[in-house]
Amino acid sequence: MRKVGHSWLGGTLLAVVGCGGPQIRATPDYHEHELAGAKVLFVPLSVTNELGDDRTGIILSDETRRLSGTGACRRTAEDWHDGRVVCFDQGPLAKSAELGELEKRFATDQPIPADLWRRLRELSGADHALMFRPESVSSSHDVSQDKSSHPDLGMVLLTGVIVASLVGSHETKKTSASTEIEYTLSASLVDMRTGKLLKVGVDSGSGSRREKRSLGYAEAPPAVPILESIMLELGDQVLKN
């Protein structure tokens, strides 16, 4: 299913599009109804450093990750009724060294020690973790120009009366610019008691921004609503029994 949302920001039309729907795969370690009554720790988008991701080259600020992750976690917690979602910004988890270490290890494909899983279970009260990381980003720019002709009116004196007369035409040019950006994210569901991977998923989403102006490109659309939408849909599908 392809989902589209629109909003206006400062006179600019913004659109967020979900592309095709997530692809989810369960591993042999996943069992039906595994998550019934479970608590799941929702981990924000994991990148290699505070300015972005060295593995993919994506530039993302900590604030962008925080806002998109918080929004996606809150909405996932509201929508999922088979168990309970524990958000990363709650209680002792918020800004904990353990959470930061998990994000860094996951982003860089490093092994996650059993002791780290144990400490995260104690901090969150959860037995499972839902983690996300970026896989790719692409963007495109387009500038178009519409031309239209308009008649020029001249004034003519005829028998003492001034009337309008067509004396020619002039051409008007209108330039519009648009920018589209697409992110692809992956999700992993892990049993923190054993460290085993239970499910994986991948999904893409894009946003566009269109402006009517004479020069230059349209600015890139904000990343937060795009990332939030992808994580929300991924989380919804991964948590399904």
Side-chain angles (χ1 to χ4, degrees):
M1 182 175 67
R2 188 175 179 86
K3 299 190 296 185
V4 183
H6 296 277
S7 64
W8 286 93
L9 180 64
T12 299
L13 179 63
L14 304 175
V16 177
V17 181
C19 305
Q23 301 175 37
I24 309 298
R25 181 176 65 85
T27 73
D29 291 308
Y30 177 79
H31 304 289
E32 189 177 5
H33 305 302
E34 173 101 24
L35 299 176
K39 288 185 179 180
V40 178
L41 169 61
F42 190 106
V43 181
L45 191 61
S46 299
V47 294
T48 59
N49 59 71
E50 62 184 11
L51 296 178
D53 189 57
D54 292 336
R55 186 174 60 87
T56 60
I58 294 176
I59 299 173
L60 289 174
S61 68
D62 278 351
E63 184 69 2
T64 294
R65 294 193 307 113
R66 183 187 67 81
L67 291 173
S68 60
T70 299
C73 185
R74 295 287 186 272
R75 293 173 63 185
T76 301
E78 293 172 359
D79 295 342
W80 190 52
H81 304 296
D82 290 335
R84 177 187 166 196
V85 171
V86 180
C87 291
F88 61 90
D89 60 344
Q90 296 178 357
L93 271 172
K95 298 182 179 180
S96 67
E98 288 82 2
L99 184 63
E101 183 180 352
L102 174 64
E103 293 178 49
K104 182 63 67 66
R105 285 181 173 274
F106 181 56
T108 54
D109 289 317
Q110 296 181 54
I112 300 171
D115 184 61
L116 178 57
W117 286 129
R118 180 188 60 78
R119 285 181 282 150
L120 285 165
R121 287 175 59 205
E122 292 174 353
L123 287 170
S124 64
D127 286 332
H128 298 80
L130 177 60
M131 303 181 292
F132 303 87
R133 71 180 190 180
E135 299 300 335
S136 67
V137 63
S138 62
S139 63
S140 62
H141 304 276
D142 181 66
V143 177
S144 59
Q145 193 173 69
D146 295 325
K147 299 179 181 180
S148 58
S149 296
H150 304 277
D152 290 328
L153 297 177
M155 306 308 294
V156 179
L157 181 63
L158 182 64
T159 62
V161 180
I162 296 178
V163 297
S165 173
L166 295 177
V167 297
S169 63
H170 69 276
E171 189 176 69
T172 299
K173 298 179 180 179
K174 292 183 179 180
T175 302
S176 62
S178 64
T179 296
E180 181 173 3
I181 190 165
E182 179 178 283
Y183 292 97
T184 298
L185 307 182
S186 66
S188 296
L189 178 68
V190 176
D191 186 334
M192 292 194 288
R193 296 166 295 187
T194 62
K196 291 182 177 180
L197 179 65
L198 302 179
K199 280 187 178 183
V200 293
V202 64
D203 193 19
S204 298
S206 65
S208 62
R209 185 169 189 155
R210 187 174 73 249
E211 295 180 348
K212 294 181 178 180
R213 60 188 200 181
S214 299
L215 298 173
Y217 291 111
E219 296 179 2
V224 170
I226 305 172
L227 298 174
E228 179 181 329
S229 177
I230 301 172
M231 286 190 286
L232 178 64
E233 191 164 5
L234 262 177
D236 175 67
Q237 295 300 313
V238 169
L239 293 176
K240 280 186 176 179
N241 281 311

